[in-house]
């Protein structure tokens, strides 16, 4: 697929959030610049954010826990929001959810360590949204293997399979508000213990 005209292009520093409205027909590309970097993601219908990404609808329609090129992200009212049009990594988590200060203390005994939930809250506030608008999210480039007898890894997240330059690209099926947290986590292997920058590019329709 040809890249097309760039509407916006931004480096998002390690551990930082990003958000934008992606218009129908535009494409959002998220690039893992250095490899092994987890990127938490949510999206909402821009005109009515009460309609938002719905993990269960998406997984039931795709019939897999591992989303990749060709799969569509569906809303809570079963309408398509975004479709994965390119994917050079192939491993993205749909069940692990976002890290947060409370979960970091619960899981790792680390206090005062904010995570992607806090990043989501920061960005959502810019759009008049808040805590009640956070739902189960996607984790791009993250590896959460499910073993025999439905067992997860001891730290849930395993070493990422993403290499430097891997990217995922999503086409907007409607006007959507996209929220990104470039994950700051250092207590599990999702970022190999060293969060790094990503690049976020929006291509015009």
């Amino acid at each position: 697929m040809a890249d097309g005209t760039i509407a916006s292009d931004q480096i998002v520093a390690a551990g930082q959030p990003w958000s934008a409205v992606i218009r129908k027909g535009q494409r959002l590309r998220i690039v893992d610049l250095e490899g092994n970097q987890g990127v938490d993601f949510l999206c909402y219908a821009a005109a009515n954010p009460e309609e938002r990404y719905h993990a269960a609808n998406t997984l039931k329609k795709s019939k897999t826990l591992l989303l990749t090129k060709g799969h569509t992200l569906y809303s809570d009212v079963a309408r398509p929001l975004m479709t994965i049009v390119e994917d050079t990594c192939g491993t993205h988590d749909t069940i692990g959810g976002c890290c947060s200060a409370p979960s970091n203390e619960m899981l790792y005994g680390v206090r005062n360590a904010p995570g992607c939930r806090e990043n989501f809250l920061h960005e959502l506030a810019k759009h008049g949204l808040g805590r009640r608008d956070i739902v189960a999210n996607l984790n791009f480039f993250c590896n959460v293997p499910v073993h025999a007898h439905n067992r997860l890894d001891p730290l849930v997240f395993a070493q990422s399979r993403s290499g430097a330059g891997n990217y995922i690209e999503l086409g907007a099926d409607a006007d959507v508000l996209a929220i990104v947290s470039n994950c700051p986590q250092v207590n599990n292997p999702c970022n190999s213990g060293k969060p790094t920058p990503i690049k976020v590019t929006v291509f015009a329709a």
Side-chain angles (χ1 to χ4, degrees):
M1 178 181 292
D3 287 349
T5 302
I6 293 176
S8 67
D9 197 33
Q10 184 176 340
I11 300 296
V12 181
Q16 296 301 303
W18 175 94
S19 64
V21 172
I22 314 298
R23 299 298 177 188
K24 183 177 180 179
Q26 291 186 326
R27 290 174 286 124
L28 171 66
R29 179 183 292 182
I30 301 171
V31 183
D32 182 2
L33 292 173
E34 299 183 28
N36 304 129
Q37 175 61 32
V39 178
D40 290 38
F41 181 81
L42 285 171
C43 61
Y44 305 77
N48 176 23
E50 287 188 358
E51 181 178 358
R52 71 279 307 269
Y53 170 72
H54 193 269
N57 282 344
T58 299
L59 298 181
K60 287 185 287 188
K61 179 65 174 177
S62 63
K63 296 180 175 59
T64 178
L65 293 177
L66 300 177
L67 302 179
T68 188
K69 183 177 179 179
H71 290 132
T72 296
L73 312 186
Y74 283 89
S75 76
D76 58 306
V77 292
R79 287 192 288 210
L81 294 174
M82 306 189 85
T83 296
I84 302 173
V85 295
E86 294 291 344
D87 177 14
T88 66
C89 174
T91 300
H92 309 284
D93 165 56
T94 57
I95 60 175
C98 62
C99 58
S100 67
S103 68
N104 282 335
E105 184 171 1
M106 175 186 72
L107 294 171
Y108 314 116
V110 178
R111 303 189 69 180
N112 301 315
C116 291
R117 180 177 181 272
E118 288 73 23
N119 276 346
F120 282 154
L121 288 170
H122 180 273
E123 288 301 304
L124 286 168
K126 296 179 180 179
H127 306 278
L129 305 173
R131 177 180 173 183
R132 69 182 61 190
D133 300 297
I134 296 179
V135 295
N137 63 283
L138 288 162
N139 293 312
F140 294 137
F141 313 119
C142 287
N143 181 19
V144 177
V146 179
H147 303 290
H149 309 296
N150 301 313
R151 182 179 56 84
L152 301 177
D153 271 19
L155 295 178
V156 180
F157 290 83
Q159 180 72 30
S160 173
R161 297 173 179 168
S162 179
N166 276 162
Y167 67 89
I168 187 163
E169 191 167 309
L170 302 104
D173 297 306
D175 290 352
V176 298
L177 169 62
I179 310 284
V180 166
S181 173
N182 190 20
C183 185
Q185 183 59 260
V186 296
N187 299 290
N188 68 49
C190 77
N191 296 327
S192 297
K194 181 186 176 184
T196 54
I198 59 172
K199 183 167 75 166
V200 179
T201 303
V202 178
F203 295 101

